[in-house]
Amino acid sequence: MEEALEDAGGTQTLFQLCARAVTANMEQLEEDVWGLPAVILQGILPLLNIYYLERIEQAAVKKGLSTQSIWCKLWNEIMKSKPSRFGTVTCWRKKFLEAFFHNVLRGILDVSTDRRLNDQRFSPLVHSSRHVSELTICNKQQGVSELTSAVLECLAKSVETLKFLHLRSSDSNTQKSLKLLLHHLIHHGQVKKVSVLSWPCPDNQLLVLILTLSAGFWQQKTDVPCTFCSETSWNGSGSDCEKRTECDTCPKSCTRQEKEEEIGSQSALLSLQPLNISQNVATDQRKSKGTSAEKNAPSRKETARNYSLPSTASDSKVSSTSGKGLVQVPALQRGCASEAGDLYDFIFSVPPVEERNNTTGGASQEEDIGIEAPLLHGAIRFRSVRALNLHNVPLTKSTCRSLCHLLRSWVSLERLTMAYNDLGASITLVLEALAALSRDPSCCLSVFSMSDFTTYISTLDLAHTLLSTFSGLQLLSLSYDLEHHSDKERSEAGSAEFPENKLKQLELRFPQDPLQAERLVSVLKASPSLIELSLDNATFSCQEDLKNVLLAINEFNPSLRRLSFHDMKMTESHTEIVNLLNHSSLEEIKFSFCRLFEKESGEFLDQFVSALRRNPSVKILKLCGNRLGNDGLCALADLYAADSLSAIHYLDVSSNCIKPEGLLQFAKKLEGYGEIKLRQLSISQNLLDRDPIMAHGALQSLEGVCCVVSDNWNSSQAFADHVSVM
């Protein structure tokens, strides 16, 4: 296209004038613009507002054009901040529109102030919502009340993670909107994970609401109607998922059989009374289509009433009699039908008569231990989330009971993270609820993480309980600073052996008290599939105990690939460490603040480096806080000699009392080895400020060899540590 000459005042070219005229009339010209040649389209793209820029994406890609640089420029100019997550941004378009949605929702961004953001033909929230995979609700849930049905429908198709951050109490109208949001995104949407973070003084009613809906419950009679649920009636004609073979609002197409199986396996939580799910309930009782339960299935009219189950699990005859010791079961109103093939699998059982008579005042067994049902009157079970994260959310006894009641039949839950919930003695309620969950054949919990300041059960006893309860657990993480229990409790529990498990990852942070080494050896022996092991702050009565643990790792965990020791005294375990390096297939090793080279380090350092030179499997080595000093760092340079088999490409020597002259000598040795495998070196928090000029020269030399991570740390605070290695 021929361009007009620009005058001294910077007059726009003819192309620019035409392009601006086109972008101003995109409502009429949109399809024509998509068909333009790539060379012309490339000049138009930067002039489009975010709505048409997003809509033209597919057409641009087909013509070999990328909009990534435009979205990156928009981020820098409008968001004016670095990306919140470190690492490479794979799609600036998605990142911008996801942040744009949150900023508009919270009222942080005024779209009317920028022509690139303002277009009366588009709704900012609707347009950007399809790119939101992680939705964060903050403070008083700003903007939640403004979410229209159109926005909710888009979010239901895109959001997979729902976060609540720094929540505060809100008015009733906002809570109604939040309830509808949760229902759309979890029960009819794609949300797999719910995280509640940093809520020091939680509103108990709001917290229970979030937990209940995350567990899949929704009340049919509500002042917050759901458009999805109202698409079909629930008077016996079947659920909305059964009506559609390919349902956009559900994660996958649903069949009548799948719904029946889901109802049969998950309906226990609908009870208004405390439940005791018997471990001896036969699996085939759920699946059988010819049992007496079918013969006694409630009619359509009877589904409005509550039914109770006799105390014998094998007797599936439904009784309408309500009496003490009988479990009250609100009948499911979703998916009910009058056909003879429809089946209600009542899988409940209650304590035997003698157990019920022994409870105070005739209360049920769960009431004795404090498990109470949340308010689920008329609740119906929908899809629930797979991952729940409660971090820094103190649980009162009441909210803990509500959570435990939900956990008992939360069979879809695969990952449970509980951190700093101030459980105290209520941890026993959580363990009892998890034990009940484990007895359900549909249970799929494979990842469990719990941490707090104080535990009322020793760490290894807690590990034993969880591994005995969930033999299929693949990741177990326990972290505590203090223990609060008697020595008698500890000695009685210490004799138990760990059953063999399928653990792949074990992370244990111990309190200051010396642990029972034989129990730790037992858990290592029972974990032959372990791939990653992390021990933090493990204190032993004697160094012989630590040696036994290292020997156990070498003997019983052949599949181990990642090993991490932090804040442990390992000055007298040199032989065992070298033996581990010689005979393991570890790929990542971390010894941080373990005082490895504090005592008689000369001979051990040579053995340590020699073992690593013969080991081709280790790729990552982290040695921060081990008093390497200058000599130790220079010795590590031999890992990259020509005759070395070492494949270490990441080396962390932070906090090791290294001076500029030592770093310079290390750099020169590496340069002498030519092409090496080292890709990243972390040298933070060392004594480099003792001679800034020499340190600068050493860092420049290293930058020609690998990527260097350093800092401007003030070493005066580490003077005492420095003197100890002089």
Side-chain angles (χ1 to χ4, degrees):
M1 183 181 291
E2 185 179 351
E3 298 184 6
L5 296 176
E6 295 188 9
D7 58 21
T11 305
Q12 292 183 335
T13 64
L14 178 59
F15 179 86
Q16 290 173 329
L17 290 172
C18 292
R20 292 194 180 279
V22 169
T23 56
N25 294 277
M26 282 293 290
E27 186 176 7
Q28 292 81 27
L29 302 176
E30 181 176 0
E31 292 187 7
D32 295 329
V33 171
W34 290 1
L36 289 173
V39 64
I40 299 178
L41 190 59
Q42 188 172 19
I44 293 177
L45 290 177
L47 303 177
L48 295 174
N49 63 35
I50 62 171
Y51 308 102
Y52 285 111
L53 182 62
E54 193 271 340
R55 288 164 65 89
I56 209 171
E57 177 72 19
Q58 291 186 358
V61 169
K62 288 180 180 178
K63 296 179 184 295
L65 301 176
S66 173
T67 62
Q68 289 297 297
S69 60
I70 304 174
W71 289 109
C72 182
K73 184 172 183 290
L74 285 168
W75 176 277
N76 293 329
E77 293 178 357
I78 295 173
M79 301 306 172
K80 298 178 181 177
S81 65
K82 293 181 180 179
S84 57
R85 299 173 189 167
F86 295 100
T88 305
V89 177
T90 56
C91 182
W92 280 103
R93 168 171 161 256
K94 172 179 169 52
K95 185 164 189 65
F96 176 87
L97 289 172
E98 190 166 18
F100 174 75
F101 177 90
H102 284 97
N103 288 343
V104 173
L105 182 67
R106 299 170 194 162
I108 299 174
L109 191 61
D110 184 3
V111 297
S112 63
T113 60
D114 194 320
R115 67 166 186 82
R116 296 171 294 182
L117 311 178
N118 188 20
D119 194 317
Q120 298 298 323
R121 292 162 287 187
F122 297 98
S123 163
L125 290 178
V126 172
H127 197 83
S128 57
S129 58
R130 69 194 73 178
H131 296 279
V132 180
S133 59
E134 184 177 289
L135 179 63
T136 303
I137 308 296
C138 296
N139 302 322
K140 290 190 175 182
Q141 305 103 61
Q142 302 101 311
V144 171
S145 300
E146 308 301 322
L147 295 177
T148 63
S149 297
V151 177
L152 290 177
E153 289 186 17
C154 289
L155 291 175
K157 296 176 182 178
S158 63
V159 177
E160 295 184 352
T161 300
L162 187 57
K163 279 187 177 181
F164 295 94
L165 183 64
H166 306 302
L167 279 189
R168 288 182 286 171
S169 299
S170 57
D171 57 64
S172 58
N173 288 332
T174 302
Q175 289 199 22
K176 289 179 182 178
S177 299
L178 180 62
K179 184 177 182 180
L180 192 59
L181 171 70
L182 286 163
H183 180 52
H184 273 74
L185 269 56
I186 296 174
H187 301 169
H188 296 296
Q190 308 295 326
V191 169
K192 301 179 179 68
K193 179 180 180 180
V194 170
S195 294
V196 186
L197 312 173
S198 188
W199 198 1
C201 299
D203 179 327
N204 292 343
Q205 183 180 7
L206 182 56
L207 177 59
V208 171
L209 170 66
I210 294 171
L211 293 175
T212 303
L213 269 71
S214 297
F217 292 102
W218 179 252
Q219 291 175 302
Q220 178 191 7
K221 295 180 180 179
T222 176
D223 53 354
V224 188
C226 170
T227 54
F228 290 156
C229 294
S230 61
E231 288 179 7
T232 57
S233 62
W234 292 354
N235 60 355
S237 58
S239 68
D240 54 339
C241 289
E242 292 171 353
K243 291 260 182 183
R244 294 185 294 242
T245 54
E246 294 293 336
C247 175
D248 349 0
T249 59
C250 293
K252 63 179 181 178
S253 38
C254 308
T255 65
R256 178 180 297 274
Q257 182 181 0
E258 289 170 345
K259 279 298 168 186
E260 288 173 348
E261 291 176 354
E262 180 181 354
I263 290 170
S265 62
Q266 299 181 353
S267 57
L269 199 51
L270 296 178
S271 173
L272 300 183
Q273 302 295 328
L275 300 179
N276 178 40
I277 304 177
S278 174
Q279 188 174 6
N280 299 318
V281 175
T283 305
D284 59 353
Q285 183 182 355
R286 296 178 173 203
K287 298 179 180 179
S288 173
K289 300 298 180 180
T291 62
S292 57
E294 183 176 354
K295 299 177 183 178
N296 293 278
S299 66
R300 187 178 306 179
K301 292 181 180 180
E302 290 173 331
T303 56
R305 297 198 295 266
N306 289 345
Y307 290 91
S308 53
L309 192 68
S311 59
T312 307
S314 61
D315 183 5
S316 57
K317 186 175 181 180
V318 179
S319 170
S320 60
T321 305
S322 177
K324 185 197 298 185
L326 299 183
V327 179
Q328 302 298 311
V329 185
L332 280 169
Q333 297 184 14
R334 187 170 187 256
C336 300
S338 59
E339 288 84 4
D342 289 351
L343 174 65
Y344 278 78
D345 293 323
F346 294 100
I347 60 169
F348 312 109
S349 68
V350 295
V353 176
E354 57 271 22
E355 292 183 19
R356 295 201 303 270
N357 292 336
N358 290 334
T359 57
T360 304
S364 69
Q365 191 177 26
E366 265 66 28
E367 287 173 325
D368 271 357
I369 62 170
I371 299 293
E372 293 178 355
L375 298 177
L376 298 175
H377 181 69
I380 295 169
R381 190 74 181 254
F382 280 83
R383 175 183 179 275
S384 54
V385 301
R386 298 178 187 173
L388 176 65
N389 179 11
L390 299 176
H391 195 287
N392 192 22
V393 183
L395 299 177
T396 64
K397 197 168 185 179
S398 174
T399 53
C400 185
R401 287 170 176 170
S402 297
L403 171 63
C404 290
H405 186 82
L406 295 167
L407 284 177
R408 294 175 68 84
S409 64
W410 200 331
V411 292
S412 71
L413 199 62
E414 298 173 3
R415 306 174 65 93
L416 176 60
T417 302
M418 300 182 67
Y420 302 100
N421 305 121
D422 197 21
L423 287 176
S426 294
I427 189 174
T428 57
L429 302 183
V430 176
L431 294 178
E432 193 280 335
L434 291 175
L437 174 63
S438 70
R439 293 193 289 268
D440 191 315
S442 301
C443 172
C444 54
L445 188 70
S446 60
V447 175
F448 182 78
S449 175
M450 178 177 281
S451 56
D452 216 324
F453 294 109
T454 306
T455 175
Y456 279 63
I457 302 175
S458 72
T459 305
L460 289 173
D461 290 343
L462 184 56
H464 181 275
T465 300
L466 291 166
L467 291 175
S468 301
T469 303
F470 297 97
S471 59
L473 208 61
Q474 295 190 17
L475 185 153
L476 176 62
S477 177
L478 302 173
S479 175
Y480 294 98
D481 299 309
L482 298 170
E483 286 184 2
H484 183 80
H485 56 82
S486 67
D487 292 336
K488 181 180 179 182
E489 291 173 344
R490 174 185 247 173
S491 60
E492 288 177 351
S495 59
E497 285 291 321
F498 280 81
E500 185 164 320
N501 57 67
K502 299 179 182 179
L503 268 186
K504 294 183 178 179
Q505 186 172 345
L506 177 64
E507 301 173 358
L508 299 175
R509 170 176 168 77
F510 296 94
Q512 291 292 341
D513 300 336
L515 59 89
Q516 295 173 302
E518 65 275 10
R519 300 213 72 204
L520 180 55
V521 170
S522 294
V523 73
L524 295 173
K525 184 177 179 180
S527 310
S529 303
L530 206 60
I531 295 175
E532 182 170 346
L533 173 64
S534 175
L535 300 180
D536 188 347
N537 197 39
T539 305
F540 299 91
S541 300
C542 62
Q543 282 294 302
E544 200 64 33
D545 286 345
L546 175 57
K547 293 178 181 180
N548 290 334
V549 170
L550 291 171
L551 291 172
I553 293 172
N554 198 28
E555 181 178 356
F556 300 118
N557 307 116
S559 301
L560 199 64
R561 295 295 178 266
R562 294 181 290 278
L563 178 64
S564 172
F565 291 129
H566 175 74
D567 197 13
M568 293 167 57
K569 185 181 179 182
M570 306 186 73
T571 54
E572 299 178 14
S573 304
H574 293 165
T575 302
E576 289 73 25
I577 291 173
V578 172
N579 183 54
L580 187 62
L581 295 176
N582 283 328
H583 299 96
S584 69
S585 299
L586 292 169
E587 298 176 359
E588 179 177 340
I589 300 175
K590 177 182 178 181
F591 293 105
S592 62
F593 297 94
C594 292
R595 301 157 67 179
L596 280 183
F597 308 103
E598 174 185 305
K599 187 177 179 182
E600 301 175 354
S601 60
E603 182 181 356
F604 170 60
L605 181 62
D606 292 339
Q607 295 174 347
F608 185 80
V609 173
S610 296
L612 288 172
R613 281 166 54 92
R614 296 190 298 269
N615 190 323
S617 65
V618 179
K619 307 294 192 303
I620 298 173
L621 179 62
K622 300 178 181 180
L623 295 173
C624 49
N626 282 287
R627 306 191 179 188
L628 268 171
N630 291 344
D631 294 339
L633 180 64
C634 292
L636 289 178
D638 292 336
L639 294 174
Y640 303 99
D643 60 344
S644 173
L645 298 178
S646 173
I648 296 173
H649 61 78
Y650 178 91
L651 179 62
D652 185 351
V653 290
S654 303
S655 305
N656 268 295
C657 309
I658 298 168
K659 299 178 184 177
E661 55 267 30
L663 185 62
L664 183 60
Q665 187 178 354
F666 176 75
K668 289 180 178 179
K669 287 187 71 173
L670 291 184
E671 286 181 335
Y673 291 139
E675 186 72 22
I676 63 174
K677 296 179 180 179
L678 183 61
R679 295 292 174 262
Q680 183 167 326
L681 172 70
S682 181
I683 194 74
S684 303
Q685 295 188 0
N686 278 293
L687 310 176
L688 303 184
D689 59 341
R690 300 298 173 88
D691 190 338
I693 296 177
M694 183 181 292
H696 180 70
L699 290 172
Q700 278 192 323
S701 298
L702 285 170
E703 286 174 357
V705 177
C706 61
C707 175
V708 181
V709 178
S710 185
D711 58 7
N712 297 318
W713 187 57
N714 182 359
S715 65
S716 60
Q717 58 186 306
F719 179 73
D721 197 20
H722 168 56
V723 171
S724 67
V725 294
M726 287 182 63

